[in-house]
Every structure is written in structure tokens, then in C-alpha cells.
Amino acid sequence: MRRPWKHPTPASVRHHGAADLWLRETGLLLPRRFARRAAASEDLVMRLQIHRKLNRHTGCVNTVGFNADGDTLISGSDDQMVMLWNWDTGAVKLQFHSGHSDNVFQARFMPYTDDQTIVTCAADGEVRLAKVADGGDVPTTLLGDHDGRAHKLAIEPGSPYIFYSCGEDGLVQHFDLRTNTATNLFLCRNSLSKSGLSSSIHLNAITIDPRNPNLLAVGGSNCYARVYDIRKYKWDGSSDFGCPSDCYCPPHLIDNWSVGITGLAFSHQSELLISYNDENIYLFSKNGGLGPDPKSSNKIEANKGSKSTMVASEGDVDQPAPPQMYAGHRNCETVKGVTFIGPNHEYVASGSDCGRLFIWRKRDGKLLRAMEGDECVVNCIEPHPHTMTIASSGIDNDVKIWTPTATERAPVVNVEELKPRKRRTKLWDLTLPEQLIWQVLASRRRRESAGDDSSEDLEGSAGLLNLVLRAAERDVLSDEDEDEDEETSEDSGDSSLN
């Protein structure tokens, strides 16, 4: 007997709302499959609009995330506070001080803890545990720390105990809440120099493959996203676990010292999504990497400049398809994440320096939406676990909740027609160049104290300094145009892409 979800339907009616409804009502489409297909509808994406603004923080909101049920949103801010919201009504369920002494960069619920266990990391380098007690008290505990800012956490899917952290010291740590201890897994380094030593990579992102939780990917001040297999780690410290099992990078960015990675995400299909600073976003298929040592990989030479989906020649192995690219946004001023949207991750989303949320169709890179989400910069976009609802945050002190409630579909975006707007806040004048210069000097001091051969890493320092100079040049140009911008109308005040 043929199963209902295998019933053949003409191509002309597939994924059409009315046709799907008819198939469900006649028993030819399972209700669960109907719900997933309806939730992935492009029509919902085209009807997204702001449902509510959650405005209780007194600083930039750097992290947002939904609980497993989807009824509670967690947020963390420069004000060092963590808040739990009823995002639908806008009410604050609970707020507490994180225990951090600097900006909170990420806050997450641990799975299967009834939303009572929360882990956080921050600019002070600390990783902390918060336990919600009866009566609303929330004591916090220091679990571990990094030498520099700790940007991201990665929670093992389905585990109420295990998670990982990464920081600007290049260190990846493993945490087990059954012991409340931190284990230093490895120090992520640039490729070996002639002396056999190299500088550490400032890590901005870490993520776990949901289909294989043994695999975790990290990325930072380097063009390569590195994937590690936790099964290769030996807890007695005798393993060379610091060597990745695979590396990912678009062919044209290989050995490009002027780019780095700000965001990573694995899809349900184990595809790896990578967002680069001052560049585009790229989606790699499963097993589409360059191998554990990309500089010695035959795939590099075969892929450079290649546009084909599969390259094969006599004596060579088949080459992976080139990554799908998502373009149109701007990612230079801050550390931005990247994510998937939809029940089967049908869409890709990212914030932008122009203050917009960008949404692309995953399969072909088509830009669908560019929605005004912040006065200056959108850094975080988080999808609801069950519905087409999105939370976003950035330089503003609030969180925007987006739902598909617009009566009219938005037109498909033409990037060239997006209206420019003056920059109203210039947080970059001091923070970004100062941070980059500090990183260069700190890296140089560490190499000198260790006696490293810095010949190879000078290229990386030069890349960082070039970023500083470019940021300064943009601010000078912005100052020169400020008088003209003040005369423009508010209608033309939508963020610039440049």
C-alpha cells in the first residue's frame, strides 16, 4: 500500500497552499508534513513585519534566543543584565544580573532543564552558570574563563550538561555541568611557521553539527572554518586533537589575510554556513571541505577560479561543488552571526551594517527581504523553533520580534534600489580600530615573549592594520558628508549599504 506522503502530485501544484490543503483534507498529505510545508512557505517570509519591540535593556543587546517550547525569549546586553521575556505580550518574566563585569555576549538555556539552567559568556572572558531558584533568585557561578573576550557558546544538542566555549585567546573549552569544571580542549592556531610555532586565532564563532554532535566548527581571525571531531580527543591530554579533521574556505579567499569569520551555523543537513567580515556569506555542502591541511590539499588548485559543480580529471579525486554565495549585506563594523530560518532550514538570514535584516532563499541565494531592524547595525537574528517568527537585535537597546502578519506581501528586494541613509551613530570611531590595534600589539607581544618566528604572522598583522585604516577612512568620508546628510529627509534615512 502506498504511503500518503508518497502520493504523486503534479509539479504545478506542489508546494502550493491550496493544493496542499486539499491533499491534507483528502488524506493524501500527512498533517505533520502539511504543517512543516506551510511553515516554510515563502509567502510567510514576504509578510514578516515587526510584531513587538522589547525595550527594557539600557545597552546594546548582543544575544537573543528562544527556549525549546518557543514561549520564552532570553536576551543579554551591554548592561550586564539577562532578561527572560514573554515575547508575545512583551512582559519581562525574570531579570537578573549576569555576574559578568562587562558586556554579555551570549546567553542560552540548557536543554531539558525546564529553563532553570542558563549559561553565559561575556567580554570579561568569563563563562558563567545561572540557576533559577524558587522565588526568582538567580545565583551565578564562574565555570571558566578566557584570556580575552569570550564570544560564543555551543550547546551539545539534547544534552542538559555539555557545552563548549571559544574566545579571543584561541582557546576552545569543554564544560560538563555535572562537575562544573572546564577542560581546555585545544588552542586554535594559524598554520605552523618555520620554527614550528604560530600565533593563536581570535575565535568569534563556534557551532555543533546537529546530526553529528561529535563535530564542532570554529572560526575567527582567519579565512578557514575548522571542524574538529571530539572523538579524537583523549582526556589524558595525550592526543593531537588540535589538528582539525576538515577545513572550509571559498577558493578565492584561501590565504587571504584581510578577511575573518564572524558567524557559523550547521544546517539540519550538516551543511556549513560561514559569514566573513567585509565579504559575503557562503554555504558548503556536507563533506565539502578542503581536508585537514588545506595548504597541501589538491582541492585548492583545482577549485581556484573554478565555477563548475564537480571537477574530475585523471588521477585526481572528485572535487566538491563550490559553495552557494549570499550577497547584498554589509559585515565590517561588528561581529555578526548568521543563521538558518524555516523548519528544514529553507532560508539564510544575517544582520548588516546598514541596520537591516537580510533573508535569502537557501537553494539559489536569491535575496528576498531587507527589513529595517536597527538605527545602525543588526548583529543577531534568531528563529523561533516552531513558527516563522524571528527575534533580532543590534546596537539599539531593544529586541525586535518579527511575525508574518502583514496584509500585503513585500516586493522582492532589488539591492541597487535600497535607499541610503546617513550614519546616525558612529560607535566605530573608537571601538573597532582600538580593538584591532590592541589585538595586533597583544599578538606581537605574545610572540616576542615566546620567541616565535613571526615571519608568517606579519601578514596577518598587516591585514588587521589594513582593516583599521579602512575603518578610519570610512569615518573621515562620513564626516565630510555629514552636513549634506543632515539636509536629507527622513524618508531617505534608510541605512546605507556602504
Side-chain angles (χ1 to χ4, degrees), residues 360-386:
W360 298 265
R361 199 160 51 210
K362 187 183 81 169
R363 69 174 184 269
D364 58 7
K366 173 68 175 178
L367 179 60
L368 300 176
R369 300 295 305 274
M371 308 179 295
E372 300 291 340
D374 196 279
E375 287 290 322
C376 299
V377 178
V378 174
N379 289 324
C380 305
I381 299 178
E382 289 292 330
H384 190 278
H386 310 301

Side-chain angles (χ1 to χ4, degrees), residues 157-428:
S159 171
Y161 308 111
I162 305 299
F163 71 98
Y164 302 83
S165 71
C166 70
E168 290 184 351
D169 54 1
L171 182 64
V172 173
Q173 296 186 80
H174 171 277
F175 294 87
D176 189 333
L177 296 182
R178 289 167 292 193
T179 61
N180 281 359
T181 57
T183 301
N184 294 344
L185 290 184
F186 61 92
L187 193 64
C188 191
R189 294 182 176 273
N190 286 296
S191 57
L192 295 178
S193 60
K194 295 179 181 179
S195 66
L197 298 172
S198 62
S199 65
S200 60
I201 296 173
H202 302 280
L203 294 179
N204 297 320
I206 182 169
T207 187
I208 295 177
D209 185 345
R211 297 189 67 177
N212 186 355
N214 295 302
L215 301 180
L216 60 101
V218 298
S221 59
N222 185 278
C223 61
Y224 299 107
R226 292 166 165 83
V227 176
Y228 297 84
D229 191 334
I230 190 65
R231 292 169 295 188
K232 295 182 179 179
Y233 181 78
K234 296 180 181 178
W235 298 103
D236 60 3
S238 61
S239 172
D240 59 348
F241 181 58
C243 297
S245 59
D246 209 349
C247 294
Y248 292 77
C249 182
H252 69 286
L253 293 182
I254 291 174
D255 290 335
N256 186 333
W257 289 96
S258 65
V259 301
I261 295 170
T262 66
L264 293 171
F266 273 113
S267 74
H268 293 327
Q269 297 79 31
S270 296
E271 302 156 309
L272 183 59
L273 190 65
I274 307 175
S275 180
Y276 285 88
N277 70 284
D278 213 16
E279 242 279 342
N280 297 312
I281 298 169
Y282 298 90
L283 178 68
F284 293 82
S285 61
K286 182 181 178 181
N287 301 323
L290 299 169
D293 185 3
K295 289 193 173 183
S296 65
S297 174
N298 292 329
K299 296 180 182 181
I300 290 182
E301 294 303 322
N303 277 336
K304 281 187 176 179
S306 173
K307 299 296 183 181
S308 63
T309 58
M310 203 64 134
V311 179
S313 59
E314 294 185 6
D316 290 335
V317 297
D318 290 344
Q319 304 304 322
Q324 175 64 58
M325 183 179 70
Y326 307 91
H329 75 311
R330 180 73 167 170
N331 181 13
C332 183
E333 308 292 359
T334 58
V335 177
K336 296 176 187 63
V338 67
T339 191
F340 294 98
I341 294 175
N344 290 312
H345 290 176
E346 292 87 354
Y347 308 96
V348 170
S350 173
S352 174
D353 291 338
C354 65
R356 295 183 175 99
L357 290 75
F358 283 71
I359 301 178
W360 298 265
R361 199 160 51 210
K362 187 183 81 169
R363 69 174 184 269
D364 58 7
K366 173 68 175 178
L367 179 60
L368 300 176
R369 300 295 305 274
M371 308 179 295
E372 300 291 340
D374 196 279
E375 287 290 322
C376 299
V377 178
V378 174
N379 289 324
C380 305
I381 299 178
E382 289 292 330
H384 190 278
H386 310 301
T387 66
M388 186 59 72
T389 297
I390 299 171
S392 69
S393 67
I395 301 301
D396 290 346
N397 295 348
D398 61 14
V399 179
K400 278 86 172 178
I401 303 295
W402 304 78
T403 57
T405 53
T407 56
E408 299 291 335
R409 285 173 54 100
V412 176
V413 176
N414 184 341
V415 175
E416 297 178 354
E417 295 179 357
L418 291 177
K419 295 180 180 179
R421 183 177 69 180
K422 66 179 180 179
R423 283 163 59 178
R424 299 180 179 179
T425 304
K426 288 188 275 189
L427 300 175
W428 313 268

Side-chain angles (χ1 to χ4, degrees), residues 54 64-67 70-75 83-87 93 109 382 391 399-401:
L54 310 180
V64 291
F66 292 94
N67 65 348
D71 60 351
T72 301
L73 182 83
I74 189 171
S75 63
M83 296 189 182
L84 277 58
W85 307 80
N86 180 327
W87 59 266
K93 293 182 175 182
F109 294 111
E382 289 292 330
V399 179
K400 278 86 172 178
I401 303 295

